[in-house]
Amino acid sequence: MRSCDVLVLGAGAAGMFAAAEAARRGRRVVVVDHAARPGEKIRISGGGRCNFTNLATAPDRFLSENPRFAISALARFGALDFLARIDAAGIAWHEKAAGQLFCDGSARQVVDMLVGDLRGGGGEVWVSTALHSVERAGGGFVTQTEAGAVASAAVIVATGGKSIPKMGATGFGYRVAEGFGLGVTETRPGLVPLTFAEQELAAIRPMAGVALPARVSCAKTSFEEPLLFTHRGLSGPAVLQISSYWREGGEIVADLLPGRDLAAEMAALRPEAGRQAVHNALSRFLPDKVAAWAVARAGLSGPLAAQSNAALGRLAQAVHRWRIRPVGSEGYRTAEVTLGGVDTAGLDARTMEAKSVPGLYFVGEVVDVTGWLGGYNFQWAWSSGWAAGQAA
């Protein structure tokens, strides 16, 4: 039977970073993953350039049943701390909107950095190796893998969630938690496109592929980012963001012309564009297909000059407050993250260790902490992995 000090289950962002940190401390570390290569989700993220963190990282950018749980890890190892690692590795980067940081070159540079840090500390990575079970054995653990049993003093579970099953995502980490008596909160797809019923799709299908700036709201939460019409419903950053707050049966509200007063601006156009068809006039503000849809939704026809102020008010309502009730989402198949996970009530916020199982740690997406779109989930991986790596 092989043995080590720390066995890390999962060679993703959180697992590799936790492993490298433990190896820096002189711990004998082995990382096991069923995938053929480490860091596969890192490699494909950000269009292949990896949105590795966000300078605006703060606890309020994360969802959890305990919104305060992430505070400790994020404060002790934050975005600037990880950026220092990126700089030290010589990886060139650039900032996009809202503090999002991307590699100038390939995301593989981040994977190579993590693997190099781990191996530099004497750690090993076993890929193409399935995990079967984790059990208590004396003062440590025995983990059954495809390559045989491994005894370890500590186990860090970094197996991720259920999102993108074609990449091998499973609920293995949740089963490990439940096997040791830890709670798991409800899990569901997050940062995922929303889908509509056929009667709604019939109206918007001609707009599939059209994108525009929008403000999308659900209850008291709003995001002002691009929205994309699809053949199934809506996508784009604004919709992916709001999907983490939407629940089945609820509605979302979209403002397709945020920050403008459409009724007033259309009324002001009457002297110069009164003879234009109302949808042609509206095309000054919105893509042509969206303008035609909005005019039909408001029940208008004829030239702009023929539209009363009340009619223009209905048009503005259709554009500024489009209320729609999605029937679902595209599910884990396209979800970027999994909401919910190992209940934080059972974990130490400073170390990520299970309170009732000394030596057992949970990090990254498997935990009930989920960030917004834009590098926040990677930062949670680094922060939680760092915390466990200092303690395991």
Side-chain angles (χ1 to χ4, degrees), residues 22 115 156 252-253 265 290 339 346:
V115 172
I156 299 177
I252 62 173
V253 181
E265 294 193 51
V290 179
L339 290 154

Side-chain angles (χ1 to χ4, degrees), residues 7 9 32 129-136 141-146 148-152 155 157 159 172-173 175-177 179-180 360:
L7 182 66
L9 311 184
V32 181
T129 304
L131 294 162
H132 300 314
S133 65
V134 183
E135 298 177 350
R136 261 297 192 195
F141 303 87
V142 171
T143 301
Q144 299 294 337
T145 80
E146 187 178 9
V150 182
S152 62
V155 169
V157 180
T159 49
F172 180 80
R175 295 194 295 274
V176 171
F180 283 96
L360 182 63

